[in-house]
Amino acid sequence: MSVLSATAQTQVEDKLVEDKILTRADLSELKKQSKDTATPLFGLLVTSGKVTNEQLTKTVAQVSKIPYVNLLEAKIDNKVLELLPQDVAERYMAVPLGEMQHRLVVAMLDADNVQAVDFLSNRIGRPLKVYAASEEGIRQILHQYEAKISDNLVSAIGEIGDNIKIDTTDQQEKAAQKAAERDSIKTIVQDSPISKALSTILEYAAKNRASDVHIEPMKDSLKIRCRIDGILREIMMLPKSTEPPLVSRIKILSNLKIDEHRIPQDGEFTINVAGKDIDLRIAISPVVWGEQVVIRLLDKTGTSFKLEDMGYTGRSLRTIRDGLKRTNGMILTSGPTGSGKSTSLYALLQEVKTDAVNIVTLEDPVEYKMEGVNQIQVNADIGLTFASGLRSILRQDPDIVMVGEIRDRETAELAVQASLTGHLVFSTLHTNSAAGILPRLLDMGVEPFLIASTVHVVIGQRLARRIGKQTEQYQSDAVETAAIKEALGSLLPKDAEHMKEVASDLGYESLPLASDTAYTLTRGKESPETPGGYKGRMGLYEVFNVSEQIQQLILNRSTSSEIQRQAEQEGMISMRQDGYMKALAGYTTVQEVNRVASANSA
């Protein structure tokens, strides 16, 4: 929205009051607040919740004598979207609505900015009919470009079927046929339909925030699946004949051996989607019907390494920050593969990174490159393992050491020795809970007294799907109410007098009173952009520090369940409790918490 003249702004203010969207008293209060804080009034109107962005956009359009369109629920036909290229639409925040008398009809954020309209008209070489729309409405249409990618994929696959004919019968058994395949590989991988299909698959995955792409050979077809928000979804079935050229294309981009089909291979390459570089990790394995490819996408631009943004709050956040104030000892995170452990380690590094400390990491692979941190990539082929790398790191005068994963006894013992000799050590283990970390170190052969004296903070975590923007509230049923009561009965405030104090302690603006009847919960609305009502993920955590009582349990070689009970007695919020509080706060659902936090014991 362009800057309005003082007269026009006054007209907008009067119109908002006239239309009873805003009272004169509220307007006066917000204008005073705007002046005191040097904050633009229109921005304050929206952030205060008194006026929605849609209402403000409509009012500004009426004052500016520009036609307005509400795009929040609009669905634009793919043929209409093709009238304006996606990169142009994103750059100018303008989306096509159709054609009228040789003019392109567009909705723009800056519809009242004549210069912006002229720039766009010159850029596409067509006269425009312009409507005003809100930023949310325009972004809703921009998301539909992403959905259109899957349609492009269908057409690309059609071209593949028409243009590539490969007989794969018994190709693993007949040496002559293998030789013929190798001779023709250059022609196959340079064929444009295959390149186009791979690019489209990766673009679809990147724009839908997929963490992995699975290319899986079946008996008569090739299945393509994407893992989005932790859930695998099938996006395409391709003809069986596309498998050899598609896998070969991936191997060439990853600098792998294209004629090796018998052993697993790992590689990597980078793609650029919508101006963002995304690192890809490639794992190729021989399976019964051919070669399976799993592609891990590492988007370096969309990840926040702030502990609060990741879902840490209240007691958990305070415990971690207390642990980070130490100059030695170990902070360990645990969880299954894909639970965000590495991201938590990066967030810890971000918290302690200053010019006054030397941070050295040992990772496999280096997922995100951080300025001011010396990151080492493990390479077992040349003997650079976690253990040998850790020995080298300790000669580099580090203050803080991050070991990507403790996999064996040698690495565990070296990490313990590093913490004993005055270093702060961060690392991860694969266990089901925070309490399970300590017995796992015992299993690896680390002496109990060493664990008790070096490990200070342990973290258990899972990733749960977030509710999308479009939500609805409902009352919990008897099963949900009983589950919440059982988990949070001792934590939720019993009366209004203590509500603020309890909410502050647990890290929330407000929490409901403990109830035997029902709780108000939130769920997302199903849409193509939010399957199941979810979009994005957040962490569920349990964090405790190793107190004297827990140290004694370690020395006695107690089980993880005994350590868990002691930690909860000392005030630890369990993963399930953390999840239910986030469900009550409207971030996720009880069903999602039950799905990811069900196996919460080592």
Side-chain angles (χ1 to χ4, degrees):
M1 195 180 296
S2 58
V3 178
L4 295 177
S5 66
T7 304
Q9 180 164 325
T10 302
Q11 289 176 332
V12 171
E13 295 167 12
D14 293 340
K15 181 71 173 166
L16 288 171
V17 173
E18 179 187 331
D19 292 345
K20 298 182 179 179
I21 296 172
L22 194 65
T23 67
R24 186 65 68 180
D26 284 340
L27 178 60
S28 299
E29 176 63 29
L30 287 168
K31 288 178 77 170
K32 181 178 181 300
Q33 190 176 338
S34 170
K35 185 177 180 181
D36 293 343
T37 60
T39 305
L41 175 62
F42 284 1
L44 201 56
L45 288 174
V46 175
T47 56
S48 69
K50 302 290 186 183
V51 180
T52 68
N53 207 350
E54 207 63 41
Q55 290 170 328
L56 182 60
T57 303
K58 182 178 180 180
T59 305
V60 170
Q62 289 172 337
V63 168
S64 304
K65 302 292 192 291
I66 295 171
Y68 157 83
V69 60
N70 185 330
L71 298 177
L72 288 179
E73 304 293 335
K75 182 78 175 82
I76 306 298
D77 188 87
N78 284 346
K79 290 182 179 179
V80 174
L81 292 177
E82 290 171 1
L83 296 173
L84 192 65
Q86 183 177 0
D87 61 330
V88 175
E90 289 175 345
R91 186 177 306 128
Y92 289 90
M93 285 301 285
V95 292
L97 303 179
E99 293 180 288
M100 180 189 298
Q101 298 172 348
H102 307 296
R103 291 193 295 173
L104 178 62
V105 182
V106 296
M108 286 185 71
L109 188 61
D110 263 355
D112 53 345
N113 184 332
V114 176
Q115 190 176 26
V117 173
D118 285 344
F119 273 140
L120 178 58
S121 179
N122 292 332
R123 173 69 175 78
I124 63 175
R126 295 187 64 175
L128 301 177
K129 167 68 175 174
V130 180
Y131 284 77
S134 68
E135 182 176 352
E136 290 93 336
I138 288 174
R139 291 199 183 281
Q140 197 273 133
I141 304 302
L142 289 176
H143 287 317
Q144 294 177 28
Y145 277 98
E146 298 169 13
K148 188 167 73 73
I149 292 173
S150 57
D151 295 334
N152 293 342
L153 184 55
V154 174
S155 62
I157 300 315
E159 290 184 46
I160 294 170
D162 294 339
N163 290 284
I164 297 180
K165 304 295 181 185
I166 304 170
D167 181 12
T168 58
T169 308
D170 297 328
Q171 65 176 3
Q172 300 290 336
E173 300 174 11
K174 298 180 181 178
Q177 193 164 340
K178 282 185 182 179
E181 183 185 318
R182 286 197 296 272
D183 292 341
S184 63
I185 250 169
K186 285 185 181 178
T187 306
I188 293 170
V189 298
Q190 290 171 359
D191 198 290
S192 59
I194 279 294
S195 298
K196 183 178 178 183
L198 178 60
S199 297
T200 309
I201 290 168
L202 295 177
E203 188 179 354
Y204 175 88
K207 292 201 171 184
N208 284 275
R209 312 171 328 281
S211 60
D212 302 88
V213 175
H214 291 238
I215 300 174
E216 302 169 326
M218 315 294 282
K219 183 178 180 181
D220 301 310
S221 59
L222 188 67
K223 183 192 293 185
I224 312 293
R225 295 195 290 174
C226 286
R227 188 178 295 280
I228 300 172
D229 293 337
I231 305 294
L232 269 175
R233 301 172 190 158
E234 182 181 319
I235 63 166
M236 185 62 60
M237 292 291 287
L238 309 185
K240 181 68 174 176
S241 60
T242 63
E243 182 201 332
L246 190 60
V247 174
S248 294
R249 177 67 178 158
I250 293 169
K251 286 180 177 179
I252 284 177
L253 292 170
S254 311
N255 292 318
L256 302 178
K257 296 178 181 178
I258 58 176
D259 58 346
E260 178 56 77
H261 307 289
R262 300 165 299 171
I263 60 174
Q265 297 188 76
D266 297 328
E268 60 184 66
F269 63 96
T270 301
I271 60 172
N272 187 285
V273 177
K276 298 188 298 183
D277 285 337
I278 299 176
D279 288 341
L280 306 179
R281 301 276 185 265
I282 313 299
I284 301 178
S285 303
V287 293
V288 173
W289 301 114
E291 290 180 279
Q292 180 192 32
V293 182
V294 178
I295 303 173
R296 168 65 57 90
L297 289 85
L298 301 172
D299 185 351
K300 297 174 285 189
T301 58
T303 304
S304 168
F305 293 128
K306 286 187 64 177
L307 291 169
E308 293 91 341
D309 293 345
M310 292 166 57
Y312 288 100
T313 186
R315 296 179 193 174
S316 299
L317 188 58
R318 291 193 295 273
T319 301
I320 289 173
R321 288 195 164 136
D322 287 343
L324 292 175
K325 292 174 184 175
R326 293 175 174 264
T327 56
N328 65 346
M330 298 175 72
I331 298 179
L332 301 176
T333 71
S334 72
T337 301
S339 60
K341 299 188 299 297
S342 296
T343 308
S344 284
L345 290 186
Y346 284 116
L348 297 181
L349 292 178
Q350 191 73 38
E351 284 269 323
V352 297
K353 187 181 72 168
T354 68
D355 289 337
V357 295
N358 178 28
I359 302 174
V360 187
T361 75
L362 195 61
E363 306 172 58
D364 183 22
V366 175
E367 294 189 10
Y368 300 96
K369 298 174 181 65
M370 297 184 74
E371 285 192 24
V373 177
N374 302 297
Q375 297 172 275
I376 300 173
Q377 168 78 52
V378 167
N379 188 344
D381 293 341
I382 59 171
L384 180 53
T385 62
F386 278 114
S388 64
L390 192 47
R391 285 195 193 88
S392 170
I393 283 176
L394 296 179
R395 295 191 288 271
Q396 297 175 28
D397 185 33
D399 297 290
I400 297 167
V401 176
M402 190 265 265
V403 182
E405 185 181 346
I406 295 177
R407 296 177 178 172
D408 51 44
R409 177 175 181 169
E410 188 178 12
T411 307
E413 289 178 340
L414 285 167
V416 167
Q417 291 300 323
S419 65
L420 283 172
T421 52
H423 304 92
L424 186 59
V425 178
F426 304 150
S427 192
T428 70
L429 286 91
H430 283 282
T431 66
N432 284 333
S433 66
I437 288 178
L438 306 173
R440 181 61 53 86
L441 290 173
L442 288 171
D443 292 343
M444 287 182 173
V446 182
E447 292 295 333
F449 71 91
L450 291 176
I451 300 172
S453 59
T454 57
V455 180
H456 296 317
V457 177
V458 291
I459 304 167
Q461 63 184 79
R462 297 285 192 281
L463 287 178
R465 290 177 291 173
R466 285 180 181 268
I467 295 171
K469 285 186 178 179
Q470 299 294 320
T471 63
E472 61 184 7
Q473 291 188 327
Y474 70 101
Q475 295 299 302
S476 60
D477 59 28
V479 175
E480 291 170 329
T481 304
I484 294 171
K485 183 184 177 185
E486 181 183 356
L488 301 181
S490 61
L491 293 173
L492 292 178
K494 301 294 188 296
D495 52 56
E497 184 181 345
H498 297 98
M499 184 183 294
K500 191 172 183 180
E501 178 186 342
V502 172
S504 175
D505 175 48
L506 297 176
Y508 295 91
E509 290 184 5
S510 64
L511 287 171
L513 294 175
S515 172
D516 291 327
T517 53
Y519 294 92
T520 301
L521 299 174
T522 308
R523 58 189 168 209
K525 293 182 179 179
E526 178 89 28
S527 75
E529 291 77 29
T530 56
Y534 300 101
K535 186 170 185 178
R537 289 190 289 176
M538 67 187 308
L540 308 183
Y541 304 98
E542 56 186 18
V543 182
F544 67 87
N545 56 13
V546 179
S547 63
E548 289 184 8
Q549 291 82 357
I550 292 176
Q551 286 179 343
Q552 193 59 48
L553 290 175
I554 297 168
L555 294 173
N556 295 336
R557 295 180 179 270
S558 299
T559 64
S560 60
S561 57
E562 292 172 316
I563 295 171
Q564 178 93 9
R565 279 197 297 273
Q566 179 61 34
E568 289 179 358
Q569 285 175 16
E570 294 176 7
M572 181 190 80
I573 305 297
S574 72
M575 249 185 281
R576 185 181 290 275
Q577 289 173 329
D578 187 38
Y580 282 168
M581 282 190 286
K582 283 169 177 163
L584 289 173
Y587 299 129
T588 187
T589 64
V590 170
Q591 292 79 8
E592 180 67 4
V593 173
N594 291 338
R595 183 182 72 85
V596 300
S598 56
N600 193 11
S601 58

